[in-house]
Amino acid sequence: MSDDQGGPEDGPEGQGGSGLSERDLAVLALERRSWPGPGAKERVVRERLGITPTRYYQLLNALLDDPRALAHDPVTVNRLRRLRDERRARR
């Protein structure tokens, strides 16, 4: 079989065949960490991922609804889903 370079929908990317991209895995990894103060996470998002914090949170929100993310890191995804649901309920 040839070594095709297909798009993201063509097959699993990233580590362990989870089907998540390297960026998705990096987003989940950042969410597993605790942060010392305001602005620290946003600075790391810009430096390591090269995206704005707004785009980061858009990607994160989409990941929370992705079953592949839940399979990869259920503790983090369920914690973030719970926080998201609590915030939505307060509105």
Side-chain angles (χ1 to χ4, degrees):
M1 182 147 238
S2 69
D3 187 25
D4 282 350
Q5 295 281 335
E9 59 276 352
D10 289 342
E13 297 177 356
Q15 301 168 346
S18 67
L20 296 171
S21 69
E22 290 294 325
R23 182 174 62 183
D24 292 343
L25 294 171
V27 167
L28 290 173
L30 284 177
E31 285 302 318
R32 276 192 298 273
R33 292 185 53 189
S34 61
W35 297 96
K41 179 163 57 171
E42 287 75 12
R43 186 171 48 256
V44 170
V45 165
R46 287 182 190 276
E47 291 172 358
R48 291 195 188 160
L49 299 179
I51 58 176
T52 65
T54 300
R55 181 66 182 139
Y56 171 83
Y57 287 111
Q58 290 170 342
L59 292 169
L60 176 60
N61 195 47
L63 269 175
L64 296 183
D65 296 324
D66 189 330
R68 296 171 302 172
L70 181 62
H72 177 74
D73 192 347
V75 173
T76 300
V77 171
N78 283 325
R79 177 179 58 84
L80 294 170
R81 282 180 175 179
R82 194 169 42 254
L83 289 171
R84 180 180 67 179
D85 291 345
E86 289 170 5
R87 287 185 189 114
R88 285 181 178 172
R90 286 193 301 246
R91 290 183 191 170

